[in-house]
Amino acid sequence: MISQTNAAPPDELLERFRAGQRTALARAISIVEDGRAGFERILHQLHTDLGRAHRIGVTGPPGAGKSTLTSKLALEFRKAEEKVGIVAVDPSSPFTGGALLGDRIRMNNISTDPGIFIRSMASRGHLGGLATTTKEVADLLDAYGYDRVVLETVGVGQSELEIAGTADTSVVVLVPESGDSIQAMKAGLMEVADIFVINKADRPGADRLAQELELMLHMRLGEAPSNAGHHGVSLKSVQKAAREGLRSRADESGGWAIPVLKTVAQSGEGLQELARTLDLHRVYLQGSGELSRRRQARLAERVRAVVERRLQRLAWRMGPGEQILADSLQSLESGEVSPYAVADRIVTELGVEPR
C-alpha cells in the first residue's frame, strides 16, 4: 500500500501523460524531482509501463564532450525514427540549487525536435555522478514511450560509478588529453564500461590511448598478448593481438567483448558505428539474460532506496528525531552521551529494537 503521505495525483495528469502530452510529462518529472506529495503514487501507477526503453549511460571526465556526443547520438537514433529522452545531470548552483551549466543550452541543435525530450537536472551535491532522482525520472521517460533514454552524468570523474547500476548499457567517454589509460583504471571505469569511446579522436594521442585501453582490457582477463614482451614489437601489433584475444574469449564464453571506438562528436564522425554498437550490445543483453539480471538488480536497489527514504521521513520529518537530537546536543558535546546512544533513542521511538 502506497504511503498516505503520497496522495494520489490527479487522474487528469496520468490521463494526459498516457495520451502523450509533453506538458504532462514535464509536470510529472517536476513532481518526482522535487519529491512533492504524490510522486510515489505516480511512479507506482506507471510501473507496469516500464521496460521498453533502452537505457544508455554516458559518463566520463569533464571536458570529454559528453553533451555533444549525446546530442549527435540522439540524431542517429532519430534517423531510425526512434524517440529519445535525455536526462543531463549538471552540477548544482550553490545559490539556487538548480542545474548550473544547463545541458539544454548545449543541445539546442536538437531541442526543437518533437521526438526528443531533454531534461537538465541538478546533482544537488549527490556524488554518484547522477542526481538523487535520476533513476525515477528515467522511469517516467520509459513509461512515456521513449525508445532510448540517455543518462548523461555530471562529469565528476571518480564518483561516476553509479551509472553502472542505472543504465542497461554504460558508455565511458575519454579524450586523448585526459591522460593515459591508467586514469581510467584509477577511476574504476574499467569495471563500468560496456563500450569505451575516445572522443575528439582527431587530436594527437587518440590512437595510442585506444591501443592502451585494448591492451588493458585484455590484461584484465588475466593474460597478456604472447608478443607483448618482445623487443621490437610495436604497440599497434600488441593492440591487434589484444583485440583478437578479447573477441576470442568473448566468443568462447558467450560474453561481451568491450569495444574501444573513436569518435569526433563535433563532426559526427564515428557516431553511426557507436549507434550500431549500442544496438549490438542490446541484442547481447537480451540474448544472454544479462538485461534481466541488470534490471532486477536495479529494481532491488530501488526498493532499498524507497525503504530508506521512508524511514528517514519517519525519523526526521514525522517522528521525534529532530527534537531528540536538539535536546541531546549539549550532552553530546560534553561527552555525557554518545551519538550511538542518541541514535538508539530515535530508533526506539520508531518502535524498532536498536541493535
Side-chain angles (χ1 to χ4, degrees), residues 57-267:
V58 179
T59 189
K66 297 186 295 295
S67 295
T68 304
L69 187 78
T70 296
S71 64
K72 294 298 178 69
L73 185 59
L75 291 176
E76 288 296 323
F77 293 143
R78 292 296 291 142
K79 290 177 183 177
E81 298 186 352
E82 292 184 316
K83 295 191 298 180
V84 184
I86 299 172
V87 181
V89 181
D90 273 333
S92 300
S93 164
F95 303 104
T96 66
L100 189 61
L101 301 180
D103 275 299
R104 280 177 292 186
I105 297 174
R106 296 200 293 270
M107 297 181 188
N108 58 9
N109 61 316
I110 61 172
S111 60
T112 58
D113 187 326
I116 297 176
F117 183 93
I118 305 170
R119 181 74 172 207
S120 290
M121 294 184 66
S123 61
R124 301 184 182 182
H126 190 62
L127 296 179
L130 300 174
T132 53
T133 56
T134 302
K135 301 171 186 179
E136 292 164 327
V137 171
D139 284 351
L140 292 176
L141 293 172
D142 186 348
Y144 189 78
Y146 285 100
D147 302 291
R148 311 271 185 165
V149 175
V150 183
L151 309 168
E152 181 199 329
T153 70
V154 70
V156 292
Q158 295 190 20
S159 62
E160 304 221 72
L161 308 186
E162 188 179 339
I163 194 68
T166 304
D168 300 327
T169 302
S170 297
V171 178
V172 173
V173 185
L174 302 173
V175 285
E177 55 267 52
S178 65
D180 60 26
S181 54
I182 198 68
Q183 296 303 318
M185 288 191 70
K186 287 182 179 178
L189 295 176
M190 301 297 287
E191 282 68 42
V192 169
D194 294 305
I195 300 170
F196 272 110
V197 171
I198 299 173
N199 193 30
K200 306 179 184 180
D202 53 342
R203 299 183 180 181
D207 289 340
R208 184 169 186 84
L209 178 56
Q211 292 162 6
E212 291 175 347
L213 281 172
E214 289 187 331
L215 178 59
M216 290 168 63
L217 287 168
H218 190 85
M219 293 176 66
R220 200 181 75 174
L221 296 176
E223 59 187 57
S226 58
N227 58 357
H230 292 187
H231 295 293
V233 177
S234 69
L235 186 57
K236 190 171 184 179
S237 66
V238 174
Q239 176 198 23
K240 180 180 179 182
R243 186 185 302 121
E244 291 174 352
L246 285 169
R247 289 173 180 168
S248 175
R249 289 286 295 273
D251 290 342
E252 291 174 6
S253 65
W256 171 256
I258 301 172
V260 180
L261 308 179
K262 289 185 283 188
T263 64
V264 183
Q266 199 67 44
S267 66

